[in-house]
């Protein structure tokens, strides 16, 4: 019996809302991240089987935790864990304390608390980010790999090693105290931004945009900005998410096809989000901006321009130059090259792009940008090959439709 569409949607929403929270609760209870993740996955699989037949329970989140807890008890008993601590860890009272732990922390949000917990000093930053995306964002290894420009096997190994490190060092998956938060903030900001990016431009699936991930990332960024008001980068990240998300309604047409910035209907932009972001950007720039604030300033210039022709490409290219010095990466270099292609000339951008062919060989936006520059330079053969490669690499349906249309235009003109 197949799950009705509405119920599948409800279970999908519940998974995104409760997966990380339930794993955190069970991990604190049983002291084993692997076991916690397994039993929560089992609980959701059971929900898919039972709820279409029995209907949604009154409190679905509590049902998931209760079912997962019972699975954990069964597995621990089968393993014959004998110590008092291990037996007590699966008792209901222990679970209740885990759900409402006493802690010296002012974090007001459970999901954000688990994110800070995953970013433990014993883990390398890349491991913390991957673990948080898995447990808190609920992303698959494939989605995390695309977000981090890696491969699913490499991400799977990274997750295994991270969990093993936490287990071997007997690290408790608890919310850190306030004085521990600044050292973990960088990794947490990276996770929130990656969650936003996965929502804004879904790397797979039948949806071009996962609006619920965008909203969740903005919510988390807003909590962070309130929690740590003296941290410029927390406000910079909130501004970046807001000003980027403000353009979301204009990015795809009624048929789901991707729409370039040049063709945006700017009346669809969210003026309140643009204005709030602009105020945050101005404050951050005055205090000495970091990478997120610089990216927010760039995005704000796009959102504030009344028309595409009014875009201040020279300022955008200059800001990308600053960003490349403060936070060098191939993706930043790619965006700077694109800005140069508009602020100066496509010919000047070509060598900048060619330098990135190695590090970004499996990155669809690189090939799409290279194709666009070649198209504007009149090299249809090179543009066609690059568009075809970008089409091979992207799983986003809206972007695929756009790339296919570009290829069709080149074909018609040959």
């Amino acid at each position: 019996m197949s799950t009705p569409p509405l119920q599948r949607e409800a279970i999908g929403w519940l998974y995104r809302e409760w997966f990380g929270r339930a794993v955190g609760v069970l991990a604190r209870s049983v002291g084993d991240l692997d076991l916690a993740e397994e039993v929560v996955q089992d609980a959701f699989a059971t929900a898919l089987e039972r709820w279409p037949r029995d209907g949604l329970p009154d409190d679905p989140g509590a049902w998931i935790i209760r079912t997962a807890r019972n699975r954990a008890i069964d597995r621990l008993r089968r393993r014959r864990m004998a110590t008092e601590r291990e037996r007590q860890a699966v008792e209901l009272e222990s679970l209740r304390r885990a759900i409402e732990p006493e802690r010296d922390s002012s974090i007001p949000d459970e999901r954000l608390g688990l994110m800070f917990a995953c970013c433990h000093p014993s883990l390398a930053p890349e491991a913390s980010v991957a673990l948080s995306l898995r447990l808190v964002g609920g992303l698959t290894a494939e989605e995390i790999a695309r977000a981090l420009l890696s491969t699913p096997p490499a991400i799977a190994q990274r997750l295994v090693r991270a969990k093993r490190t936490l287990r071997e060092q007997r690290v408790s998956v608890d919310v850190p105290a306030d004085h521990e938060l600044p050292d973990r903030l960088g990794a947490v900001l990276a996770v929130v931004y990656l969650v936003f990016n996965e929502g804004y431009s879904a790397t797979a699936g039948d949806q071009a945009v996962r609006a619920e991930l965008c909203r969740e990332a903005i919510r988390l960024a807003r909590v962070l900005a309130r929690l740590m008001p003296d941290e410029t980068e927390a406000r910079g990240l909130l501004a970046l998410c807001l000003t980027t998300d403000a353009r979301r309604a204009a990015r795809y047409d009624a048929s789901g096809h991707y729409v370039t910035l040049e063709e945006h209907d700017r009346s669809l932009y969210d003026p309140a989000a643009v204005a709030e972001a602009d105020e945050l950007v101005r404050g951050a720039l005055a205090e000495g901006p970091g990478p997120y604030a610089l990216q927010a300033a760039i995005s704000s210039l796009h959102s504030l321009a009344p028309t595409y022709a009014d875009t201040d490409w020279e300022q955008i290219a200059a800001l990308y130059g600053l960003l490349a010095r403060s936070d060098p990466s191939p993706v930043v270099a790619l965006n700077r090259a694109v800005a140069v292609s508009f602020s100066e000339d496509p010919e000047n951008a070509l060598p900048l792009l060619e330098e990135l062919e190695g590090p970004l060989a499996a990155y669809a936006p690189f090939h799409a940008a290279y194709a666009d520059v070649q198209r504007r330079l009149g090299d249809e053969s090179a543009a066609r090959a690059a568009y075809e490669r970008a089409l091979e690499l992207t799983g986003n349906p809206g972007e695929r439709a756009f790339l296919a249309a570009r290829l069709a235009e080149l074909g018609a003109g040959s």
Side-chain angles (χ1 to χ4, degrees):
M1 173 177 159
S2 62
T3 310
L6 182 60
Q7 205 146 66
R8 282 200 303 269
E9 182 179 341
I11 295 172
W13 173 86
L14 184 69
Y15 183 90
R16 292 186 294 271
E17 286 292 312
W18 276 92
F19 177 78
R21 191 182 308 179
V23 169
V25 167
L26 269 295
R28 289 194 295 271
S29 180
V30 303
D32 186 331
L33 268 176
D34 278 325
L35 176 59
E37 189 174 358
E38 288 173 10
V39 295
V40 172
Q41 292 277 26
D42 284 351
F44 276 102
T46 302
L48 280 170
E49 177 185 335
R50 294 186 184 177
W51 291 358
R53 181 190 66 217
D54 302 337
L56 289 173
D58 293 336
D59 190 341
W63 188 98
I64 290 293
I65 287 185
R66 184 170 59 252
T67 302
R69 176 182 63 85
N70 291 336
R71 295 292 175 88
I73 291 172
D74 290 342
R75 293 194 185 193
L76 291 173
R77 282 174 177 166
R78 286 198 298 270
R79 292 180 188 179
R80 297 182 178 178
M81 291 185 168
T83 67
E84 185 65 22
R85 177 179 176 277
E86 288 167 332
R87 285 199 302 270
Q88 290 178 345
V90 295
E91 295 296 330
L92 181 59
E93 180 59 22
S94 176
L95 181 59
R96 186 193 65 77
R97 289 196 301 270
I99 295 174
E100 299 178 343
E102 294 182 4
R103 62 183 187 267
D104 182 22
S105 175
S106 58
I107 296 179
D109 183 88
E110 286 185 9
R111 187 169 296 179
L112 193 61
L114 179 58
M115 199 178 291
F116 271 102
C118 288
C119 296
H120 193 273
S122 65
L123 299 178
E126 60 270 18
S128 293
V129 169
L131 188 62
S132 296
L133 288 171
R134 174 72 192 117
L135 298 183
V136 184
L139 303 188
T140 65
E142 290 75 14
E143 290 169 336
I144 297 170
R146 285 187 287 267
L148 300 182
L149 303 183
S150 185
T151 64
I155 292 299
Q157 291 178 1
R158 192 179 298 178
L159 292 170
V160 169
R161 285 195 298 268
K163 293 174 189 176
R164 184 171 61 239
T165 297
L166 294 178
R167 184 171 59 251
E168 290 176 350
Q169 297 191 17
R170 298 184 180 278
V171 173
S172 175
V173 189
D174 287 326
V175 178
D178 285 350
H179 70 274
E180 299 176 291
L181 301 184
D183 290 339
R184 306 188 189 193
L185 179 62
V188 171
L189 292 174
V191 172
V192 174
Y193 188 40
L194 288 168
V195 170
F196 176 83
N197 281 339
E198 177 60 29
Y200 194 69
S201 183
T203 55
D206 57 2
Q207 291 181 309
V209 174
R210 297 170 66 180
E212 78 284 353
L213 286 182
C214 293
R215 288 191 294 268
E216 176 62 8
I218 290 172
R219 186 187 70 80
L220 291 172
R222 201 178 290 282
V223 173
L224 276 170
R226 287 198 301 264
L227 178 67
M228 308 177 81
D230 296 330
E231 294 288 348
T232 305
E233 280 291 76
R235 285 177 281 127
L237 175 62
L238 174 59
L240 175 57
C241 292
L242 282 170
T243 189
T244 305
D245 193 62
R247 302 191 296 270
R248 174 157 49 94
R251 291 181 71 234
Y252 294 92
D253 62 20
S255 301
H257 294 176
Y258 175 77
V259 179
T260 65
L261 264 173
E262 185 175 4
E263 299 169 318
H264 274 195
D265 177 357
R266 298 185 178 228
S267 69
L268 297 177
Y269 287 6
D270 182 342
V274 171
E276 181 182 359
D278 184 48
E279 183 177 352
L280 288 166
V281 165
R282 292 176 184 276
L285 290 178
E287 296 175 21
Y292 290 111
L294 286 172
Q295 291 178 78
I298 293 166
S299 183
S300 188
L301 285 170
H302 284 300
S303 297
L304 287 167
T307 68
Y308 184 77
D310 294 318
T311 304
D312 190 346
W313 285 108
E314 289 187 8
Q315 180 70 5
I316 289 171
L319 286 168
Y320 270 124
L322 291 175
L323 184 60
R325 287 195 288 274
S326 67
D327 186 33
S329 76
V331 173
V332 170
L334 169 63
N335 289 326
R336 177 175 175 269
V338 172
V340 166
S341 78
F342 289 105
S343 65
E344 298 177 17
D345 187 270
E347 188 73 40
N348 295 347
L350 200 56
L352 301 177
L353 289 169
E354 289 171 346
E355 291 177 2
L356 300 170
E357 189 171 0
L360 295 179
Y363 189 54
F366 162 75
H367 295 282
Y370 185 79
D372 182 66
V373 166
Q374 292 288 18
R375 178 183 65 85
R376 288 154 60 198
L377 288 171
D379 190 338
E380 293 190 358
S381 177
R384 186 178 296 106
Y387 277 131
E388 288 173 348
R389 181 60 178 147
L391 192 58
E392 291 173 2
L393 290 170
T394 186
N396 184 291
E399 292 172 6
R400 288 184 62 82
F402 167 77
L403 293 168
R406 282 286 199 230
L407 276 169
E409 291 172 8
L410 289 173
S414 60

